[in-house]
Amino acid sequence: MSNLVVLPIIIPLLAGIIIAFFHKKLPIARALSKIFIVINLIVAAYVTYLVFTNGMIVLETGSWQAPYGIVFVADPLSVILVLTTNILTTACLFIAPKLVSDVREKYYFYTFTFLLVSGVSGAFLTGDLFNLFVFFEVLLMASYGLIVLGGGKVQLRESLKYLLINLFSSIIFVTTVAFLYAVVGTVNMAHIAERVQEVEQTGVLTTIGIVLFFVFATKAALFPLYYWMPKSYTVPNPVVSALFGALLTKVGIYSIMRIYTLIFVTDELTSKFFIIIAGLSMLFGVIGALSTNDIKLLMSYNVIPSIGFILLGIALANENGLGGATYYLMHDMIIKTALFLIIGVIVYAAGTADLRKLGGLIHYYPGLGWSLFIATVVLAGIPPLSGFIGKLLLLRGSVENGEIIIIIVALLSSLLILYSVMKIFIQGFWGEKDASFKPVSIRGMLAPIIGLLAVSVFLGIGAEFVYPYINEVAVYLLDPEIYIQAVLKE
Amino acid sequence: MEIIICILAGILFATGVYNILQKQLLRIAIGTGLISHAAHLFILTMGKLKRGQPPIIEEGITNYTDPLPHALILTSIVISFGVTSVVLVLAYRTINENKTDNMDQLRGNEYE
């Protein structure tokens, strides 16, 4: 029964390997990738259902008991994220045959994508800090393959920087794990949490906490460590950008969420510090988005404020705050994928990413235009759509803790996010019909995007249905004992 | 013994970071190799360095070698080996395509 937990990791891994054998035969590779991702989606949905009805599932690999063996833990937070990962990857794989060039598809696009999904699911599900590092490396390895796919001049340059910054932060990560091992003598997260509580938070543990935050903040692209992110996310092809924007930074923020709810419990000082970082991320991200006319870069900058919102929820450490962070995480993964894909289709259709050269596209692509419009209002959080619910919870949490300044900052940055993305709609889609413009067929590209938007709209309008589950996650996150008990079974 | 190895790891970190901050791509690649070695040495030291003790817990045996850092370091070495080879290939391709190995010229200003 508990073996189910590894299936969302194993299936993509096997799929990636099997598809590698057919990398030159595109029809087979495409068909296989769709079949595997749908199977994985169903399995992930089933695991989610089981976790929410029967409680957490813990797998001790090789039947080695908890602190000694490697454990995989399917708790409410991780299964929700695995399910979301699978939903958005399904959309990405269904649009990929249209949006990714044949040559790139042949050079292991599908294999790398599946390995990425495997790594991301692994990072969500693992209950072992060193194993988290290993899964980070798995997903980074796949991402190195994806970002450099195509091998243009700019692409090589940016992927080199991406690789170096990630390599550096990974090495710091593994060093910190070694530090932590020296202090508490274990790498099992539940066991670490238990022992950290026993020894109280001494100076060394505080240092470790800060260094771990540095590592994950680099990977999550928080202020002031986001400098590497925007440009490197614009260079690969749009499907890869969508996967990166939706998954990679989110794994970083998930790790912060896990570490700071389970191992290092947020005290007042950390909370203040996180709120400041969150506020600055919101502001600087959106300023970056407003500063550019390149629509891909604009979208990449928009990833930063959303990470800030999630960090705000973690900092608040109350029921509304953590619920809001979880809701926002889910919402943002889906809507960012949709927006990155829409931007990709716009660039494909119009042949340029420069906002000054775009205009009048609504006459040729009405469906695309309205998809962008809906995605924008969802992202900005116009009620009753999903962004609104997440932000409402976060703001309520802030009011409870009496953090008024951050509410103003959050609302201001939401407004500016709306403006920055609406700018694409206004300048790109409105305007006179350009007679010399030759429209390209975008048939079949809209369906996956509309699917994602439907999920996103459901998250908002169906909040009545979704919210109880999110609340369950928040209540669960507030009590680390549940996790420790489930893993160590004392 | 541990303190000496810790200092050695520190020196490796310092030289690695110094190399990463250089402009030449090859030096950066070497720098990443050096800091990953430093990290590995550090993991090994964290499990305490002992000689001649088996990694077994049995009744009556109080002195034993901790096997976990060895398992960790092995995984970590394999990963950093893979990543280093990716860095080298990528650096090689970047130099060939962009016709320079100087990070200053690889900045890219097209959007500014």
Side-chain angles (χ1 to χ4, degrees):
Chain A
M1 193 60 179
S2 63
N3 281 336
L4 266 176
V5 179
V6 286
L7 283 184
I9 308 169
I10 298 283
I11 295 172
L13 190 68
L14 284 178
I17 294 165
I18 292 169
I19 292 169
F21 289 112
F22 301 101
H23 73 110
K24 289 264 152 93
K25 301 187 183 67
L26 277 183
I28 303 178
R30 285 171 180 164
L32 278 178
S33 72
K34 283 172 187 166
I35 293 167
F36 276 118
I37 196 68
V38 170
I39 292 175
N40 203 27
L41 179 63
I42 293 166
V43 170
Y46 181 59
V47 174
T48 313
Y49 166 76
L50 278 184
V51 168
F52 276 100
T53 48
N54 299 346
M56 287 166 67
I57 310 174
V58 179
L59 168 65
E60 293 167 333
T61 43
S63 294
W64 285 91
Q65 274 190 356
Y68 304 107
I70 293 170
V71 287
F72 286 95
V73 185
D75 67 349
L77 175 65
S78 52
V79 284
I80 279 190
L81 295 177
V82 169
L83 182 64
T84 319
T85 305
N86 278 296
I87 293 172
L88 67 92
T89 316
T90 311
C92 284
L93 284 177
F94 273 82
I95 207 172
K98 307 276 185 337
L99 211 52
V100 183
S101 67
D102 282 4
V103 188
R104 288 180 183 190
E105 275 184 274
K106 273 183 191 157
Y107 281 94
Y108 306 104
F109 169 81
Y110 293 111
T111 304
F112 285 134
T113 308
F114 273 111
L115 293 182
L116 183 75
V117 174
S118 176
V120 170
S121 309
F124 288 147
L125 288 170
T126 184
D128 185 295
L129 202 59
F130 190 79
N131 210 230
L132 181 65
F133 160 73
V134 173
F135 278 115
F136 256 113
E137 286 304 310
V138 171
L139 74 92
L140 285 174
M141 237 7 163
S143 75
Y144 302 151
L146 282 173
I147 196 171
V148 83
L149 207 63
K153 241 182 188 175
V154 189
Q155 215 174 353
L156 280 165
R157 197 181 70 204
E158 295 303 327
S159 39
L160 188 71
K161 293 172 193 168
Y162 170 81
L163 198 163
L164 287 173
I165 191 80
N166 275 304
L167 176 57
F168 184 76
S169 63
S170 290
I171 290 171
I172 302 292
F173 187 10
V174 79
T175 316
T176 322
V177 174
F179 250 135
L180 199 55
Y181 181 71
V183 178
V184 295
T186 177
V187 285
N188 182 298
M189 288 206 257
H191 208 200
I192 294 175
E194 196 185 46
R195 290 199 173 165
V196 165
Q197 283 173 11
E198 280 164 15
V199 297
E200 304 266 305
Q201 298 207 12
T202 59
V204 180
L205 282 173
T206 314
T207 315
I208 291 170
I210 292 168
V211 181
L212 273 182
F213 179 73
F214 164 79
V215 168
F216 295 131
T218 311
K219 291 188 193 289
L222 278 165
F223 175 86
L225 301 161
Y226 65 77
Y227 49 86
W228 57 275
M229 195 272 283
K231 268 190 191 172
S232 57
Y233 279 20
T234 55
V235 290
N237 79 65
V239 181
V240 177
S241 297
L243 282 170
F244 280 19
L247 295 177
L248 295 190
T249 51
K250 303 302 182 299
V251 182
I253 197 77
Y254 159 81
S255 308
I256 293 179
M257 203 165 178
R258 180 62 86 207
I259 302 282
Y260 280 88
T261 53
L262 182 64
I263 300 177
F264 306 104
V265 180
T266 3
D267 57 3
E268 201 164 320
L269 186 70
T270 6
S271 170
K272 280 271 181 298
F273 172 69
F274 279 7
I275 287 178
I276 292 169
I277 297 274
L280 289 173
S281 302
M282 289 173 200
L283 286 178
F284 277 79
V286 85
I287 288 171
L290 290 172
S291 71
T292 176
N293 275 315
D294 181 312
I295 54 175
K296 286 167 147 184
L297 198 60
L298 195 160
M299 213 52 247
S300 303
Y301 269 115
N302 262 321
V303 173
I304 302 163
S306 65
I307 300 288
F309 276 106
I310 300 161
L311 186 68
L312 170 62
I314 301 168
L316 294 172
N318 54 24
E319 207 178 302
N320 278 327
L322 287 171
T326 316
Y327 210 102
Y328 203 84
L329 193 55
M330 257 174 102
H331 140 81
D332 197 66
M333 282 166 89
I334 288 179
I335 199 66
K336 279 283 145 60
T337 320
L339 269 166
F340 269 104
L341 290 177
I342 291 169
I343 299 291
V345 176
I346 293 175
V347 174
Y348 174 85
T352 173
D354 194 334
L355 206 51
R356 284 164 297 195
K357 290 180 194 152
L358 290 172
L361 286 175
I362 199 91
H363 301 291
Y364 304 100
Y365 308 109
L368 187 63
W370 293 115
S371 301
L372 176 67
F373 182 79
I374 294 169
T376 310
V377 291
V378 171
L379 179 75
I382 305 288
L385 298 162
S386 61
F388 172 72
I389 314 282
K391 277 177 189 162
L392 181 68
L393 288 172
L394 287 173
L395 296 183
R396 257 159 89 185
S398 313
V399 174
E400 276 168 33
N401 281 19
E403 306 285 352
I404 304 302
I405 299 169
I406 194 70
I407 298 180
I408 299 168
V409 172
L411 290 175
L412 178 72
S413 97
S414 305
L415 196 67
L416 292 176
I417 289 171
L418 178 67
Y419 171 66
S420 73
V421 187
M422 207 45 104
K423 211 168 75 175
I424 304 177
F425 184 71
I426 292 172
Q427 292 191 18
F429 283 89
W430 285 357
E432 290 299 307
K433 212 171 182 173
D434 184 358
S436 63
F437 182 75
K438 288 188 189 66
V440 205
S441 163
I442 56 162
R443 248 190 57 206
M445 289 185 187
L446 277 181
I449 294 173
I450 291 171
L452 280 177
L453 288 178
V455 174
S456 192
V457 168
F458 168 74
L459 276 179
I461 294 173
E464 199 81 0
F465 171 75
V466 184
Y467 179 70
Y469 297 103
I470 300 294
N471 198 43
E472 197 175 314
V473 176
V475 172
Y476 157 79
L477 282 177
L478 278 175
D479 186 9
E481 279 306 312
I482 306 175
Y483 187 97
I484 297 171
Q485 292 296 333
V487 175
L488 296 178
K489 297 191 191 71
E490 279 160 349
Chain B
M1 190 62 192
E2 278 88 1
I3 195 85
I4 299 170
I5 300 291
C6 277
I7 291 169
L8 181 61
I11 293 171
L12 275 173
F13 256 117
T15 43
V17 170
Y18 176 77
N19 271 302
I20 285 180
L21 294 174
Q22 299 299 301
K23 286 173 187 167
Q24 216 185 339
L25 259 179
L26 186 62
R27 278 179 197 273
I28 294 173
I30 292 170
T32 59
L34 283 176
I35 56 168
S36 55
H37 288 325
H40 299 153
L41 209 54
F42 200 68
I43 300 173
L44 198 65
T45 323
M46 287 298 115
K48 285 203 177 152
L49 303 164
K50 289 175 200 158
R51 286 176 64 188
Q53 274 91 26
I56 304 167
I57 308 181
E58 253 183 55
E59 293 282 321
I61 295 182
T62 47
N63 206 356
Y64 62 94
T65 309
D66 188 351
L68 194 74
H70 300 232
L72 302 187
I73 199 174
L74 204 61
T75 320
S76 180
I77 286 174
V78 173
I79 290 171
S80 72
F81 177 69
V83 178
T84 307
S85 52
V86 175
V87 171
L88 285 173
V89 172
L90 203 59
Y92 175 73
R93 283 291 309 269
T94 311
I95 293 168
N96 269 0
E97 287 281 326
N98 289 289
K99 303 279 184 286
T100 175
D101 71 338
N102 190 331
M103 283 310 259
D104 269 354
Q105 287 161 12
L106 283 171
R107 265 195 3 214
N109 300 328
E110 61 263 54
Y111 304 124
E112 285 155 15

